[in-house]
Each structure stands twice: as structure tokens, then as C-alpha cells.
Amino acid sequence: MDQTGKPDKHGGLGIASFAIAAVALAMIAVSLIGLSVTDPSSLLAAVTDQMSDEELAKTILHEAPMLIIGVVLIAIASFLTFVGAVLGIAGLFVPDRKRLFAALGTALNGILVLAALALGIAGYFSLT
């Protein structure tokens, strides 16, 4: 409570962090749904053929445009979750503000950042 007896307001950084986490989750969900409806057989056939990189890129764009959209959405969501985590951490240290949304935003964005790192590390080690 502040000096006038009114309860503290929610901090803007915490609300922004929570909103970013919600948007990033929605972007990831949309991209995963889109990627799940992509037919992999045409892509596998294109990859196993002896094509140039330009022909392969054209084939991917024509056969599975959702693959490109999904990858771009996941990349943007990964960047947003990092920004949201930083905003959430900053929101935890703002004085005279409620910290509920800052804590929720930090937790959700932190989980998403750790999941992205774990998937990246798993992908790296599966290639070696």
C-alpha cells in the first residue's frame, strides 16, 4: 500500500512480460499446428533427389509454405520470450508495484527460454 492507503498498482513491466509470454505461447501453438499438417513425404522426396539448393528452396516454398512460416514464428517467439524474461526480471525490482504479473511473466518466459535452449542443444547433439 502507498501512503494514501490505496493498494499498489500492477507494474507495467510485469504486465508486458506476461503478455509477451501469452503471445509467444500462441505463436508457438500456431506454428506447431501448422507444422503438424505439413506432408513430409514430398519434402523427403525433394531432399533425397539430387537437386541444387535453389531447386530445393523452390520445392519447399511450393510444397510446404507452412514449414517456412512455422520456423519463422518459432524464431520470433524465441526472441520475444528472451525479451519477456528480461522485462519480468526488471519488473520484480520495481518498488511500490505488485509483482504478480512480473513473477508469472518471468516464470513462463523462463520456461520457454529453457525449452528453446534444451531443444537447440538436443538438436545439436543429434546431428553429431
Side-chain angles (χ1 to χ4, degrees):
M1 292 196 138
D2 59 10
Q3 285 87 10
T4 62
K6 294 180 184 176
D8 294 336
K9 294 180 181 180
H10 288 285
L13 294 175
I15 293 172
S17 173
F18 184 74
I20 287 173
V23 168
L25 278 172
M27 289 172 69
I28 291 169
V30 166
S31 65
L32 290 178
I33 290 169
L35 291 174
S36 68
V37 299
T38 302
D39 182 28
S41 61
S42 61
L43 295 175
L44 290 174
V47 170
T48 56
D49 291 344
Q50 297 297 325
M51 293 184 174
S52 68
D53 289 342
E54 183 177 316
E55 291 172 335
L56 182 60
K58 285 181 182 178
T59 303
I60 290 172
L61 284 174
H62 290 295
E63 297 291 328
M66 193 58 204
L67 180 69
I68 304 299
I69 294 169
V71 169
V72 169
L73 280 176
I74 289 176
I76 292 170
S78 297
F79 175 73
L80 283 177
T81 56
F82 179 74
V83 171
V86 171
L87 287 175
I89 292 169
L92 290 173
F93 295 104
V94 174
D96 298 328
R97 296 288 184 199
K98 292 182 182 177
R99 292 172 177 82
L100 174 66
F101 284 112
L104 289 174
T106 302
L108 287 174
N109 284 308
I111 289 169
L112 291 173
V113 167
L114 290 176
L117 286 174
L119 285 174
I121 291 170
Y124 174 75
F125 285 116
S126 70
L127 293 176
T128 58

PDB file of all heavy atoms in Angstrom, residues 76-90:
ATOM      1  N   ILE A  76      10.816 -15.998 -33.979  1.00  0.00           N
ATOM      2  CA  ILE A  76      10.336 -14.736 -33.392  1.00  0.00           C
ATOM      3  C   ILE A  76       9.882 -14.955 -31.958  1.00  0.00           C
ATOM      4  O   ILE A  76      10.187 -14.155 -31.068  1.00  0.00           O
ATOM      5  CB  ILE A  76       9.205 -14.138 -34.257  1.00  0.00           C
ATOM      6  CG1 ILE A  76       9.767 -13.676 -35.604  1.00  0.00           C
ATOM      7  CG2 ILE A  76       8.532 -12.977 -33.544  1.00  0.00           C
ATOM      8  CD1 ILE A  76       8.694 -13.298 -36.607  1.00  0.00           C
ATOM      9  N   ALA A  77       9.169 -16.052 -31.708  1.00  0.00           N
ATOM     10  CA  ALA A  77       8.713 -16.349 -30.348  1.00  0.00           C
ATOM     11  C   ALA A  77       9.887 -16.569 -29.406  1.00  0.00           C
ATOM     12  O   ALA A  77       9.844 -16.155 -28.239  1.00  0.00           O
ATOM     13  CB  ALA A  77       7.794 -17.567 -30.358  1.00  0.00           C
ATOM     14  N   SER A  78      10.949 -17.192 -29.892  1.00  0.00           N
ATOM     15  CA  SER A  78      12.136 -17.400 -29.051  1.00  0.00           C
ATOM     16  C   SER A  78      12.764 -16.075 -28.650  1.00  0.00           C
ATOM     17  O   SER A  78      13.155 -15.885 -27.486  1.00  0.00           O
ATOM     18  CB  SER A  78      13.165 -18.254 -29.787  1.00  0.00           C
ATOM     19  OG  SER A  78      12.638 -19.523 -30.049  1.00  0.00           O
ATOM     20  N   PHE A  79      12.860 -15.158 -29.599  1.00  0.00           N
ATOM     21  CA  PHE A  79      13.393 -13.832 -29.282  1.00  0.00           C
ATOM     22  C   PHE A  79      12.482 -13.098 -28.301  1.00  0.00           C
ATOM     23  O   PHE A  79      12.951 -12.483 -27.342  1.00  0.00           O
ATOM     24  CB  PHE A  79      13.578 -13.016 -30.564  1.00  0.00           C
ATOM     25  CG  PHE A  79      14.010 -11.596 -30.308  1.00  0.00           C
ATOM     26  CD1 PHE A  79      15.297 -11.325 -29.901  1.00  0.00           C
ATOM     27  CD2 PHE A  79      13.122 -10.552 -30.454  1.00  0.00           C
ATOM     28  CE1 PHE A  79      15.708 -10.023 -29.650  1.00  0.00           C
ATOM     29  CE2 PHE A  79      13.516  -9.243 -30.206  1.00  0.00           C
ATOM     30  CZ  PHE A  79      14.803  -8.971 -29.808  1.00  0.00           C
ATOM     31  N   LEU A  80      11.175 -13.170 -28.534  1.00  0.00           N
ATOM     32  CA  LEU A  80      10.221 -12.489 -27.647  1.00  0.00           C
ATOM     33  C   LEU A  80      10.281 -13.026 -26.224  1.00  0.00           C
ATOM     34  O   LEU A  80      10.164 -12.259 -25.267  1.00  0.00           O
ATOM     35  CB  LEU A  80       8.797 -12.619 -28.185  1.00  0.00           C
ATOM     36  CG  LEU A  80       8.410 -11.730 -29.351  1.00  0.00           C
ATOM     37  CD1 LEU A  80       6.990 -12.039 -29.797  1.00  0.00           C
ATOM     38  CD2 LEU A  80       8.546 -10.267 -28.985  1.00  0.00           C
ATOM     39  N   THR A  81      10.444 -14.339 -26.073  1.00  0.00           N
ATOM     40  CA  THR A  81      10.493 -14.892 -24.718  1.00  0.00           C
ATOM     41  C   THR A  81      11.722 -14.411 -23.957  1.00  0.00           C
ATOM     42  O   THR A  81      11.656 -14.195 -22.752  1.00  0.00           O
ATOM     43  CB  THR A  81      10.465 -16.430 -24.734  1.00  0.00           C
ATOM     44  OG1 THR A  81      11.534 -16.918 -25.522  1.00  0.00           O
ATOM     45  CG2 THR A  81       9.149 -16.943 -25.254  1.00  0.00           C
ATOM     46  N   PHE A  82      12.823 -14.239 -24.671  1.00  0.00           N
ATOM     47  CA  PHE A  82      14.012 -13.700 -24.011  1.00  0.00           C
ATOM     48  C   PHE A  82      13.752 -12.268 -23.544  1.00  0.00           C
ATOM     49  O   PHE A  82      14.074 -11.905 -22.406  1.00  0.00           O
ATOM     50  CB  PHE A  82      15.225 -13.757 -24.940  1.00  0.00           C
ATOM     51  CG  PHE A  82      16.473 -13.199 -24.328  1.00  0.00           C
ATOM     52  CD1 PHE A  82      17.146 -13.904 -23.355  1.00  0.00           C
ATOM     53  CD2 PHE A  82      16.947 -11.959 -24.706  1.00  0.00           C
ATOM     54  CE1 PHE A  82      18.291 -13.383 -22.773  1.00  0.00           C
ATOM     55  CE2 PHE A  82      18.091 -11.435 -24.138  1.00  0.00           C
ATOM     56  CZ  PHE A  82      18.764 -12.152 -23.166  1.00  0.00           C
ATOM     57  N   VAL A  83      13.150 -11.446 -24.404  1.00  0.00           N
ATOM     58  CA  VAL A  83      12.816 -10.064 -24.034  1.00  0.00           C
ATOM     59  C   VAL A  83      11.821 -10.064 -22.874  1.00  0.00           C
ATOM     60  O   VAL A  83      11.945  -9.285 -21.922  1.00  0.00           O
ATOM     61  CB  VAL A  83      12.251  -9.298 -25.252  1.00  0.00           C
ATOM     62  CG1 VAL A  83      11.698  -7.943 -24.856  1.00  0.00           C
ATOM     63  CG2 VAL A  83      13.317  -9.141 -26.318  1.00  0.00           C
ATOM     64  N   GLY A  84      10.822 -10.944 -22.936  1.00  0.00           N
ATOM     65  CA  GLY A  84       9.833 -11.027 -21.865  1.00  0.00           C
ATOM     66  C   GLY A  84      10.435 -11.447 -20.538  1.00  0.00           C
ATOM     67  O   GLY A  84      10.039 -10.955 -19.474  1.00  0.00           O
ATOM     68  N   ALA A  85      11.411 -12.343 -20.584  1.00  0.00           N
ATOM     69  CA  ALA A  85      12.081 -12.756 -19.347  1.00  0.00           C
ATOM     70  C   ALA A  85      12.844 -11.595 -18.729  1.00  0.00           C
ATOM     71  O   ALA A  85      12.812 -11.384 -17.511  1.00  0.00           O
ATOM     72  CB  ALA A  85      13.007 -13.936 -19.618  1.00  0.00           C
ATOM     73  N   VAL A  86      13.527 -10.828 -19.566  1.00  0.00           N
ATOM     74  CA  VAL A  86      14.263  -9.660 -19.062  1.00  0.00           C
ATOM     75  C   VAL A  86      13.294  -8.639 -18.468  1.00  0.00           C
ATOM     76  O   VAL A  86      13.540  -8.083 -17.380  1.00  0.00           O
ATOM     77  CB  VAL A  86      15.126  -9.037 -20.187  1.00  0.00           C
ATOM     78  CG1 VAL A  86      15.713  -7.707 -19.759  1.00  0.00           C
ATOM     79  CG2 VAL A  86      16.226  -9.998 -20.592  1.00  0.00           C
ATOM     80  N   LEU A  87      12.176  -8.377 -19.150  1.00  0.00           N
ATOM     81  CA  LEU A  87      11.181  -7.438 -18.617  1.00  0.00           C
ATOM     82  C   LEU A  87      10.587  -7.943 -17.301  1.00  0.00           C
ATOM     83  O   LEU A  87      10.350  -7.154 -16.377  1.00  0.00           O
ATOM     84  CB  LEU A  87      10.059  -7.216 -19.632  1.00  0.00           C
ATOM     85  CG  LEU A  87      10.390  -6.386 -20.852  1.00  0.00           C
ATOM     86  CD1 LEU A  87       9.209  -6.360 -21.810  1.00  0.00           C
ATOM     87  CD2 LEU A  87      10.784  -4.979 -20.453  1.00  0.00           C
ATOM     88  N   GLY A  88      10.351  -9.231 -17.214  1.00  0.00           N
ATOM     89  CA  GLY A  88       9.801  -9.796 -15.980  1.00  0.00           C
ATOM     90  C   GLY A  88      10.763  -9.666 -14.813  1.00  0.00           C
ATOM     91  O   GLY A  88      10.364  -9.324 -13.695  1.00  0.00           O
ATOM     92  N   ILE A  89      12.019  -9.932 -15.074  1.00  0.00           N
ATOM     93  CA  ILE A  89      13.024  -9.789 -14.016  1.00  0.00           C
ATOM     94  C   ILE A  89      13.121  -8.333 -13.582  1.00  0.00           C
ATOM     95  O   ILE A  89      13.196  -8.027 -12.387  1.00  0.00           O
ATOM     96  CB  ILE A  89      14.381 -10.339 -14.481  1.00  0.00           C
ATOM     97  CG1 ILE A  89      14.299 -11.859 -14.632  1.00  0.00           C
ATOM     98  CG2 ILE A  89      15.493  -9.953 -13.527  1.00  0.00           C
ATOM     99  CD1 ILE A  89      15.487 -12.484 -15.330  1.00  0.00           C
ATOM    100  N   ALA A  90      13.103  -7.417 -14.550  1.00  0.00           N
ATOM    101  CA  ALA A  90      13.144  -5.993 -14.204  1.00  0.00           C
ATOM    102  C   ALA A  90      11.892  -5.600 -13.425  1.00  0.00           C
ATOM    103  O   ALA A  90      11.961  -4.799 -12.485  1.00  0.00           O
ATOM    104  CB  ALA A  90      13.265  -5.150 -15.468  1.00  0.00           C
TER     105      ALA A  90
END
